[in-house]
Amino acid sequence: MGIIVNLDVQMAKNKMSLKELAERVDISMTNLSLLKTGKVKGVRFDTLEAICRELNCKPGDILDITDDG
Amino acid sequence: MGVKRNWLLVITKVVIDIALCIVVINSVKTFFVFTKGFHGIDYSISIPVRMANTLERYYPTHEVKDGRITMNAHFGTARVLTYNPFPQFLMIVGFVLNQLLVIAILYNLRKIFRMFYHHQPFDYKNVTSIKIIALYLSLIWIKDIIFNLITYSYYLKYELAYKFGWRWDFKIRGIVIAAIVYIVAEIFKYGFELKRENEEFV
């Protein structure tokens, strides 16, 4: 089982670019890109809270779990 | 985000840079002084000695088989005049080894402070540099033991230890300092791993 990140879906719904979201959330574009592609080990609660606030969504809209089997 | 500059760090970095330059220049100059006229040159070497109380009243001179040794009680030094090049050769080799290790230690210390200056203390390059410093400190300790053994064995041959009250001391502080520096390297390695793990969280 793995965690998948649906950040790009929420960004498209809000018509927000990666650069704009990174500036609003106050993290680097590199880290946000890594998060979008699911290549990070974890997300801090304050980062998740900031992303949800800017994209007007809930954590469950961004993070999902999948059964790899 | 502005970063407050640590001026003590800046000053220490500059002092180490200056010290490295001075040590290199002084080492080259001293090397040429020591090697000038190799064989039979009158020169002074400082040997850590324990003086017998009676010797403090006068400046003892002892004729040896191939030279003369004079003690200066006030400064704790031995002035050696010898027609045997072995002591001078030993001194030159010991000096070169010592200075190379000291210069290498200062060079690595300079690298570490440069990383601190750029706010990167927990970098793996620092871990490697600190471990190298620990290794060189232990090499200096080993070199001191070997060269002191050879030196005292050479002079003991002329029964000088009895006449001048010389005694060879086994000091462990060199290897203790090297061990402490190695422990510091392991702490920095742990800090590096914590930093890397922290950077993988966004």
Side-chain angles (χ1 to χ4, degrees):
Chain A
M1 285 203 292
I3 300 289
I4 54 171
V5 180
N6 298 317
L7 185 62
D8 46 353
V9 172
Q10 296 300 320
M11 282 168 62
K13 277 186 184 174
N14 288 267
K15 295 185 176 63
M16 196 178 291
S17 68
L18 196 74
K19 184 182 172 187
E20 188 185 347
L21 183 60
E23 283 170 5
R24 287 191 183 192
V25 173
D26 195 25
I27 63 172
S28 66
M29 270 185 67
T30 309
N31 282 343
L32 194 60
S33 176
L34 287 169
L35 174 61
K36 191 164 78 82
T37 53
K39 289 179 182 172
V40 295
K41 275 202 172 176
V43 185
R44 294 193 185 92
F45 283 156
D46 54 352
T47 305
L48 189 59
E49 181 190 343
I51 290 172
C52 290
R53 186 179 60 243
E54 296 301 327
L55 295 178
N56 197 26
C57 62
K58 292 181 180 176
D61 298 328
I62 299 174
L63 302 172
D64 200 355
I65 191 162
T66 183
D67 186 359
D68 290 331
Chain B
M1 186 171 62
V3 179
K4 198 175 174 184
R5 184 68 67 194
N6 184 339
W7 288 108
L8 186 59
L9 192 67
V10 172
I11 291 166
T12 310
K13 180 178 162 293
V14 169
V15 166
I16 290 174
D17 287 343
I18 293 170
L20 179 61
C21 294
I22 290 172
V23 167
V24 168
I25 293 167
N26 202 44
S27 300
V28 171
K29 189 188 84 174
T30 309
F31 177 77
F32 283 113
V33 167
F34 280 173
T35 53
K36 181 182 163 189
F38 181 69
H39 177 77
I41 294 295
D42 188 9
Y43 63 92
S44 294
I45 54 174
S46 296
I47 304 174
V49 297
R50 285 176 185 265
M51 303 292 289
N53 289 336
T54 52
L55 295 175
E56 289 178 1
R57 295 195 205 119
Y58 58 96
Y59 300 109
T61 300
H62 180 67
E63 298 294 330
V64 296
K65 186 181 172 184
D66 52 5
R68 184 172 65 245
I69 295 177
T70 307
M71 294 297 295
N72 185 327
H74 292 302
F75 299 107
T77 57
R79 190 169 180 84
V80 179
L81 172 64
T82 174
Y83 305 110
N84 182 344
F86 176 70
Q88 192 173 4
F89 174 75
L90 191 69
M91 187 187 68
I92 291 169
V93 169
F95 172 77
V96 167
L97 278 175
N98 198 71
Q99 294 308 104
L100 283 174
L101 288 169
V102 167
I103 287 168
I105 286 172
L106 281 173
Y107 177 73
N108 276 282
L109 208 56
R110 189 168 164 260
K111 273 172 41 178
I112 293 168
F113 270 89
R114 185 171 287 181
M115 296 292 276
F116 273 47
Y117 183 77
H118 293 293
H119 306 285
Q120 294 172 344
F122 295 113
D123 194 283
Y124 204 75
K125 289 179 193 170
N126 281 350
V127 176
T128 309
S129 294
I130 297 171
K131 282 187 177 175
I132 287 172
I133 289 174
L135 172 67
Y136 289 164
L137 284 171
S138 50
L139 286 177
I140 287 176
W141 178 72
I142 293 168
K143 181 229 89 187
D144 284 344
I145 289 176
I146 293 171
F147 276 77
N148 282 343
L149 268 172
I150 297 171
T151 304
Y152 284 110
S153 299
Y154 178 80
Y155 289 112
L156 281 171
K157 205 164 77 173
Y158 303 102
E159 299 175 353
L160 291 174
Y162 174 75
K163 284 183 182 292
F164 291 101
W166 287 358
R167 193 172 76 205
W168 176 64
D169 289 324
F170 181 80
K171 291 188 178 65
I172 66 163
R173 97 181 138 210
I175 198 67
V176 168
I177 292 171
I180 291 170
V181 171
Y182 187 79
I183 289 168
V184 169
E186 289 296 315
I187 292 170
F188 269 82
K189 186 179 169 191
Y190 185 65
F192 164 75
E193 284 164 3
L194 279 178
K195 177 177 165 262
R196 188 174 61 176
E197 194 177 315
N198 187 50
E199 281 172 352
E200 287 173 346
F201 278 72
V202 296

